[in-house]
Every structure is written in structure tokens, then in C-alpha cells.
Amino acid sequence: MPTLTIDGRTVSVPEGKTILEAAEAAGVRVPHFCWHRALGALGACRLCAVTVLDGPQKGVRMACLTPVQEGMRVSTLDESSWNMRRSVIEWLMANHPHDCPVCDEGGECQLQDMTVAGNHAVRRQRGRKRTFHNQDLGPFIEHEMNRCIACYRCVRTYRDYCGGDDFGVLGSRDRVYFGRFRPGRLLSPFSGNLVDVCPTGTLTDKTSRFRARPWDLEEASSVCPHCALGCAVIPGGRYRELLRVRADPRPQPNDGFLCDRGRFGYGYANRADRPRQARLEGRPGTLAEAVAALRERVEGIARQHGPEAVLLLGSARATVEANALLSLWARRLGAADPVFDLAARRDGAARIFARAAPALRATLADVRQADLTLVCGADPLAEGPLLALALRQAARRGAAVRVIDPRPVPLVCEAERLPLAPTLVPEALRFLAGGNGAGLSQEVLQPLAETKRLFDAARRPVVIGSAEGLGPDGVRALLALVAGASRPDRDAKAALLLPGPSSFACARLASAVPNAQDLRRRLGGGKIRAVVALEVDPLAEAPPAVTGVIEKAELFAALDYLPTATVGRANLFLPSAGPYEQDGAFCDFAGRLRAFARVLRPGTPILHTGKGNHPPRTFSPDVPGGDAAPAWEILAEILGISGGLSGARAEIEKAFSFLQGLAGLRADARDERVLPGGEPPAPPGAPAGPEPAGLRLLLSDPFVGWEPLSAHAAVLEVLRPEDAVYLNPAELARLGLAPGARARVEAQELSEIRVARAADLPPGLAWVVRRRGSALSRLPAGEVFACRVAREEGA
Amino acid sequence: MDVLDEKTLSELAARVRAYPYPREMVVDVLRAIQERRGWVSDEGVELAAQLLRISPLEVEEVATFYDKIYRRPVGRKVIHLCDSVCCFSRGGEDILKHLEKRLQITLGQTTPDGMFTLLPTCCLGACGQAPAMSVNLRLYGHLTPEAVDRILEEERREVSP
């Protein structure tokens, strides 16, 4: 570890680090544009000039390109490098517009900061400025090329880090242009990162353009609620309106990057049709009335008809606290545990994984550092997009990526895929763990044997599955594979993609009784009279057998902040606060509790109350539409727990020992607590029935269109996939369907019309990507159903 | 296909199949396309991308980087006059003024008869013969106004005898 001094401060950094990194470690800030922690050094901007006073090459050096040496003495304050930096800033400003007041970046612009820091107040350059035409880059990113200083951060992010191929560098000399071949939407699902990495106003967030200056934004350290990965985000809002989401620049867990679903999917919070007032039997009321009614009616039904008449539905998108308090309420009522996930197979898989040893559970950092990754029965881009980005980073470091899946799973890196029927994926995992591969054909076993050789040789392999793709049997095989492969010199880990930001904690809160399966029995018994849906939309997510019972319940209560079908039908509605409108905690896919802080108080945005003008001049102590309260607060009130969030967390810690540490979490410090492992639930009594003969239907989730929050964000509509049914070409021909033809798909007494498309699928499989509101999408993902696909005649 | 004739297209496709990294052929493909019409159209970029199995943007990056790949229509002959330091110090700017006067066009323009396009270039590798220019792929050094007049005359005659 070489030791050097920078501006008189002594620092030791590992061999191979640069002066810039050593300076960061020593707490000395070296100005820079092109250097970026995650993207590395380029030497394009020439701003990080420092003076090497003692060392192999004395004089002005680029800090980002110069490796440290033992005994080096570096100054950032020396006149020669100070003058150089000052000049570089002036040169960069020669062609830059002098119009910060009308630039959306103003106030958080590195070039603006540097210009001020460089003590530049007067433009000396008198010549004409070079100008460019801008491109329309789609609904997310605004392009203003005249502001570009050619730091190349955008291309390095878009192409190298994120794997996009439709944005790049054009031209040469002083006419270097960053853009697309033709104007049009940036196609990468990670395009929004351009906003964060661009140090000037060249690439800005179009969805929040000119809505607020950064110093007017209310911001807080938060956790992304759009999947189970728990990316660190910093949302910002103003005038009761959520305006933007940016990535937390800290390296963990998401390396400072976000997917477009997490970044641009915030529109659900501001919708004009968002339910903001409590409703009792169709009559508007106050939240306090509704809370009292909810407690009285649920307790009344439990007293009168027994606790088994109460069905509580928890959810993956509610906070850990709300779900835990719901469990506590069930206990107090003597009722069965809440059902946290209506899809039995996914629920069973999650509950097994949530009890795995913490050392076996991979984080995003583990995936980025892996030397071999297997993706089995999972679609990372849809179910946890940043995981696909982490896979790319592993691949860039040389890791092989192997996919075992029936679907042509899209990734943002090179991958080799072994197409396998869904039911055979667990068997493939057992084969990798040393099993005999019973049931697998010879042409599958051969490539699988090669994958096994790679796996056995890897030192840091990570195997990725998804709860809905693998099911309980597959998750057992997944955990057995990595547990069996871990040795002192070898770190094998598993990651399981789960449906929402609290899924892991919900799966842990669920008792050993497979409650989603038990639900069918309970629903069949005809005993259920009260249903409470906590931020979940069973009417859109469950098959008719379940929804029929729910709709007929004497009490159908819903807590939510989305205008869902369930909210529309509920006879008791309580407006709850959205994830960015409360303090709380989520639990990521690796079982780490992560706290987030409130960004905004709930309330109707002034944009809506003022209809684009000044808001009404009526005076009242209440915030318009501000009745909503965090779900945990509503449930704490029902349970008689006082003391706000800390009071609720203390009660939760007492009731659920595995949630110890919840009360001490701090959002701004990005604290996390790892949930301990536990006793795995017993295998389900009845084995899965025989596979249906004939054509089988497989459902899976898209990047945008199913996840409930972003499905309610209008700006993301463009990313919603076509309503298609995919079959392999031979199957299409057999059914007499031409690609593009209209086809009726029927399964489990549900049916809808979709566009027939060819895809590289195993024979006998029809694949449908879900969309919120579509009939077939009420069937649980991952399970296979017998189905019929036929040509639909007529228009 | 107007961008490439069938024969060249199939020859290039055969070479693509033989290359482990077809993207390395991007300049060759662009040159072949330029050979036919004198410049590379948007359709030409898209055809190259299709042929090399890369995105049109990746082709465009190369096409716009090199100043001898033309992305707009040019005259029958393209004059590249070096404006780098050696040619500059040996009177390159006077040669430019002379060319502009003779051809009645400025840098970036094409003569009304479609004969010459005048462009700058940053180096022709002919510093020893500064000031230098090229006309299509032919290099001319030690330029003087008189030499330029003679060269223009000869180049013009070559096209229309």
C-alpha cells in the first residue's frame, strides 16, 4: 500500500489506485468532469490537473490517470495546476451558452459550480459559438447539445455500463455530437441514468422539466418501491407533487444506477384520479371515521362468526411495518395469518428462500463480483431490472452468463441459453448439484454438463432464480445447489427475485402453514365475511374463484393510494400514504431491512387544486386531499399502539424476533439489518399434480405493465409490451396462425384475444406476458395451465 | 437495392461470414457503398449495419468520424486541403484563398457544375510536401497557386475529355 501526501495530508491506498482516488480517500476534493466512480477514468476533460511535487514525473499531471507511488507528494493548490484547471473551465465555457437561468440543470450543474469555483465572471472569448441541432430522444430525456462539454460520461454509461447500442458519439474534432442515428426514443431500459451522469444540462429529465429548481425540491433518502431489489433512490417533490427520482450516488446497493421503471414510474403518486378520501358504504367520510369503522366491523364479525370469518390480505408493496402490524392484528383476533401473496407457488417459493442462511443470499454487489452467473427460470429485466445490469457488470469482468429458461429471456449482456420446459428447470438445478438428471433428455444433458463444469470451477458463482419461475421445488433445488457448493475457498450464492419491496419480510412473517394454498380451502368453506386488503389489488391479481368470494364479503375493506379495481369495489375505503409519503422500511430480495424517509406529506398536488393556476384562496388548517395516513399508522391506531413509528416498531420487534433492529434503522445513513435464517417450512403435503397434456400456458411479467405502481404511471405507457401470445414457429403453423394474426387464448375459464407471435420456445408452450387489467393476467405467473389457442375470425 | 449492386453485396456478405468480428469491416463496407454513388446515404448506413449485425448508430459513429466518408452528396471530385500546422506554416491559407477564388466556392461547398467539392482535412501525412491537398485519392504537394490551377485543369479534363 503506497503512502503519499496530498495537500499535506498523508494517505495510504492500495497499489494501482490513482491520485484522484487517493485524494478522495484523504478527503481532498479534486475537481473533475469525466471521471466517475463507476465509469472510471478517461482523461477527456483535463480538469483534474494536480501538481506532483515529488514523484517519478514531476509537474502538472492528470489526477485521474496518474497511479500513486510510494512517497509521492501532491498539491492541488499549487499555482501551476490551479491555473490549468481555471483555464480548462474557461475553454469549456467558450462554446457553452451563458444562460444558466433558463437551463433545467441550473443549481445542480457541475459546470456551473466549476465556473464559479474557477472565479470566472466575465466571458473573454469574443468569437461565435459552435451550435448543434438537438434530437428528440423520446419522452424521458431532453437533449440540449449546445451545453455539452464532451466528457463522454453519457456514452460510457449508456453503451459500456448499460449495454445500449442506439446512443453514441458522432463526428470528430470540435463537432463531436452525442446522440442517436435518427431522433427517437432511447431504447435502453436504463436510459434515465444519462440524467444523473451528465454533469451539465445536456441530458435532463424530461418528465420533470422546468418544474422545480433543485433547491426548492423536498428530497429524502428512500428505497425504490418498484421491485424487490431495494435500490437506493433520492426522490424529490414540490407543492405536494412527486417530481422526479434520482439514484443515490453511493455505491451500495445499486452502484448509483437505476432502471427507467424506478426512475420514471413515479406518476402514480400524482394522479388526478388517486383516491384521497375515505369512503364508508359509498359515502365520503373522514379517515378517523373509517379507521373506527374498520376496527369495529372486523372485530364484530370475528366475535359473531368466529375469527375464521376474517381474511386479511397483506402485500409486497406495503411497508414491512404495515405488514407486520397486520400479522399482529391477525394474532390478536385469533384469525389465520394474513395472506401476503395470492399466488400459491410464488408464495411457497418465497417462504423457503426467506428462511435460507444469510450467507447464501446474494446481493447486487455479489452479482457484480461473480465469476459465473446462472439465470434459471427468471427474467431479471422484468422482475428486477438492476439485477440484469449487475449481470452485465459481472460479464464485463469476464464472468460467463448462462440462462436456463423456456423463454428467450432478454438480457443486456452476452448469454448462452438452454431452452428447457418450465417443469424441468428444478431438475436441471439438481443435476448441477450432482444429481443424475432423471427426466432430462440427452441434448439437454450435454450443454448442462458443460455448465456444471463451469459452475464447479467458479470461485464466486451466483445462481439467480425467481419465486414465480422456480416455485417451491425449484427454490429447494437452488438452495441445495449453492449450499452444497460453498466451501472455505469458494463462495456460492443464490438470488431469488420476488414480486415487491416487502416480499422477503412478508414471506418471513407468513407462518409455516402454506397460507396461499390454505386460502383455497378457506374460500371454499363459505365462511369468509370480512376481507381487508392492505395495498393490494386482489380483483386484478386473483382468479375468479377467489375474487367471487371477496366481492361477496359482508365487509370488503381496502387501504390504498392507487385507483385499483379493488378500491373501486370496496365498501370501506381508507386512503393510505404512498411509499414516498411516509417513513418506513422495506426488505430487499436478500433479506436486508432498509429504512426510507418521507419525501412529501400526502395531499392533492397544487397542480391539480389550482388547475395549473394559483391554488384556491380558501384558508383551512387542513391540506386538500391530505387525509391519507401511512398504513402502519392506521393499523397502529386499530391495535391501540401509540408512540408513532418508533412505538409501532418497538411492538413489532417484541412480536417478531427476526425483525430485531428495525427500530434502529436510519434512512439517511442507509443502515441495513440482515434478517436471520430460519427453519424451512415443511414440503407441501400433496405433490404437484401431473403436468397438463397438450398446449400449456405460461405467464410472466413485463418490464412495464404489471408492476402495480409503474402500471399507474402514464409516462411509461410507451414501454408496455404488445398484448401477444408467443408460440414456437412450428406450433404457430400447426394451429394455422400466421405471425400477427389474432388469436383467442383460453385457460381456466378465462379468455382473451391476443396477437400471435413467433418466439424461440420449447414445443407445447404458449407464453403470455401479463398486463394489468387483462383477463388471463389474473392467473398466477410461473404456473403452467392447460390452454387453448385458436384463430379468432372477424375484425 | 440502389445502395449496392448485387455482386458487391454478396461479396461483402461472404466476407462478413468469414470474419470473427464483422464490425472490423465497417470502413470497407462504407467505402464500397460510397464507391457507387459518391456518398453514403442514411439507407447506406442502415444497410451496412444490417450487413455487419451492429446498430446503425455504431456505423454512423465511424462514418461521421472519418472525413473521407461523405454523408452528404459531393461533387465528382473532392478536394481535401490540409489545414494542419505544417501546411498552415507553409502557406496553406493562401492556397485556400486561391482555391476559393478559382472555384467560386468556400469550404464545404460544391461547384455549381457538380465537379468539385472543397473540404479541409486535418492531415494528409504529407507534411514534407506542405502545403498539400488531395483530389479524390490523388495527393498533390508543394502547392503554389500556379500548380493549383494546373491541377484543377487536369482533374477537370480527366472527367470530361
Side-chain angles (χ1 to χ4, degrees), chain A residues 155 159 165-173 179-182, chain B residues 42 45-46 55-58 60-61 64-65 71 83 120 122:
Chain A
V155 238
R159 298 274 285 276
D165 69 355
D166 60 324
F167 178 90
V169 205
L170 305 169
S172 62
R173 320 214 302 191
R180 299 188 81 236
F181 175 57
R182 288 183 204 276
Chain B
D42 286 359
V45 171
E46 279 163 344
S55 70
L57 181 269
E58 288 172 285
E60 182 78 328
E61 287 183 319
T64 55
F65 178 81
R71 285 286 282 112
D83 63 0
C122 64

Side-chain angles (χ1 to χ4, degrees), chain B residues 63-90:
Chain B
T64 55
F65 178 81
Y66 288 111
D67 65 355
K68 315 257 177 334
I69 301 285
Y70 311 120
R71 285 286 282 112
R72 285 188 216 168
V74 288
R76 302 176 75 167
K77 302 218 163 177
V78 182
I79 302 170
H80 282 279
L81 180 69
C82 177
D83 63 0
S84 245
V85 62
C86 294
C87 290
F88 167 81
S89 63
R90 301 274 296 159

Side-chain angles (χ1 to χ4, degrees), chain A residues 229 353 360-364 366-367 374-376 378 387 461-467 470 475 478-479 482 492-498 589-590:
Chain A
L229 299 185
F353 191 78
L360 295 180
R361 308 192 299 240
T363 63
L364 283 177
D366 292 327
V367 176
L374 302 179
V375 182
C376 306
L387 191 70
V462 175
V463 191
I464 294 154
S466 99
L470 288 182
V475 168
L478 172 76
L479 288 171
V482 294
K493 293 191 179 200
L496 194 71
L497 288 161
L498 302 167
F589 72 129

Side-chain angles (χ1 to χ4, degrees), chain A residues 472-527:
Chain A
D473 182 37
V475 168
R476 273 195 201 93
L478 172 76
L479 288 171
L481 171 63
V482 294
S486 284
R487 288 192 301 273
D489 63 330
R490 201 158 174 251
D491 229 1
K493 293 191 179 200
L496 194 71
L497 288 161
L498 302 167
S502 282
S503 287
F504 194 103
C506 288
R508 200 68 168 75
L509 282 166
S511 65
V513 183
N515 38 10
Q517 280 174 358
D518 187 46
L519 177 65
R520 287 183 199 165
R521 182 188 57 74
R522 291 173 62 197
L523 290 168
K527 281 193 176 160

Side-chain angles (χ1 to χ4, degrees), chain A residues 639-653:
Chain A
L639 291 165
I641 297 167
S642 57
L645 185 61
S646 41
R649 283 177 167 173
E651 282 299 317
I652 291 167
E653 283 192 352

